[in-house]
Amino acid sequence: MRLLPSVLIAVSALGLTLSAAHAADKCPYHPRDTWIPIDQAISKAEALGYDVRDVEADDGCWEVEGYDRNGAKVKVYLDPVSGEVVKPSSWLSRLR
């Protein structure tokens, strides 16, 4: 009976570790005062051909949600200082 709590604690700790590692692979840390403004992030995403629907700060990146040129729903992460794409991901690919 004592094994179950130990297993739950171990699984929780692993989940938190993987969550932190996943967040870290998006954008390196930059102080918030060095970030490009949100309107500039929108312009950069639109220049790349994305139809932007929503932008917010997430895990140290600008997270852009919208549609690509083919009409597929996407979530794209932009480096907050350079505005370069760090991690694009299609929402369709997550459903497969």
Side-chain angles (χ1 to χ4, degrees), residues 54-96:
D54 187 40
V55 177
E56 63 182 36
D58 181 45
D59 290 333
C61 299
W62 282 120
E63 177 188 88
V64 179
E65 294 180 5
Y67 298 90
D68 67 10
R69 289 185 174 116
N70 299 320
K73 215 171 197 181
V74 294
K75 186 181 290 188
V76 178
Y77 294 91
L78 301 180
D79 181 279
V81 175
S82 69
E84 298 298 316
V85 174
V86 174
K87 183 181 177 190
S89 66
S90 170
W91 288 354
L92 279 177
S93 66
R94 287 190 223 154
L95 297 175
R96 293 181 184 160

